[in-house]
Amino acid sequence: MSRVDVVRAAMVEAMKAKDKARKDSLSMLLSALKNAEIDKRSPLTEEEADAVVKKEIKQTKETLELAPADRADIREEAQARLAVYQEFAPEDLTEEQIAEVIKSVLAELGIENPAPSDKGKIMKTLMPKVKGKADGKVVNQVLAGILSK
């Protein structure tokens, strides 16, 4: 079953349960997935569907951060939407797993004592390996920790 079908089935369940907030969130996610399929002109792969879900999560987090403090309705709606999106998001790599990937990249590049000047070269090789599996900010923080040792 594709991610689109899974989200559509969850949306139908939410409609039957008369859970309007969940249905609306799932409807927005389904629209994003369908639009990505239309843009691609073929069904999405698992990685592409994960990327769409992560993008929606990121946008919702930005909405939450930028919402004025006196607009509790916007904040509650964004938090509810975020909770629904998290159900369909792939598991991110832990910091330990990211560190392992970084170590394998360092071995692949032949860098024994990484210096801050090597960061660009390392990131160029590292990011395609963790794309869709980890947040770039977390990867950057873990790499910075390794480079500072």
Side-chain angles (χ1 to χ4, degrees), residues 65-120:
E65 289 172 11
L66 297 175
D70 61 337
R71 293 294 308 268
D73 57 330
I74 294 174
R75 292 179 158 294
E76 289 171 14
E77 182 181 325
Q79 287 172 336
R81 199 173 334 134
L82 197 56
V84 172
Y85 291 171
Q86 295 287 350
E87 294 175 32
F88 297 95
E91 286 295 316
D92 279 347
L93 294 174
T94 63
E95 289 187 13
E96 293 80 26
Q97 292 169 320
I98 293 170
E100 290 299 317
V101 175
I102 291 171
K103 287 176 186 169
S104 71
V105 168
L106 291 174
E108 181 182 317
L109 295 174
I111 300 173
E112 290 181 26
N113 297 318
S117 60
D118 297 325
K119 187 174 185 175

Side-chain angles (χ1 to χ4, degrees), residues 10-85:
M11 191 172 88
V12 169
E13 287 177 27
M15 283 192 279
K16 287 179 181 176
K18 297 191 182 346
D19 187 350
K20 185 177 176 353
R22 182 172 171 79
K23 185 218 123 237
D24 290 345
S25 297
L26 290 169
S27 176
M28 293 173 75
L29 182 59
L30 184 61
S31 294
L33 289 165
K34 296 285 282 174
N35 286 338
E37 275 188 350
I38 290 168
D39 290 345
K40 186 182 172 199
R41 295 192 173 132
S42 66
L44 297 175
T45 64
E46 193 69 28
E47 292 79 24
E48 292 166 337
D50 288 347
V52 171
V53 173
K54 284 192 174 274
K55 179 181 171 196
E56 290 297 312
I57 288 172
K58 185 176 182 181
Q59 287 176 343
T60 305
K61 284 181 180 177
E62 288 173 2
T63 301
L64 196 55
E65 289 172 11
L66 297 175
D70 61 337
R71 293 294 308 268
D73 57 330
I74 294 174
R75 292 179 158 294
E76 289 171 14
E77 182 181 325
Q79 287 172 336
R81 199 173 334 134
L82 197 56
V84 172
Y85 291 171

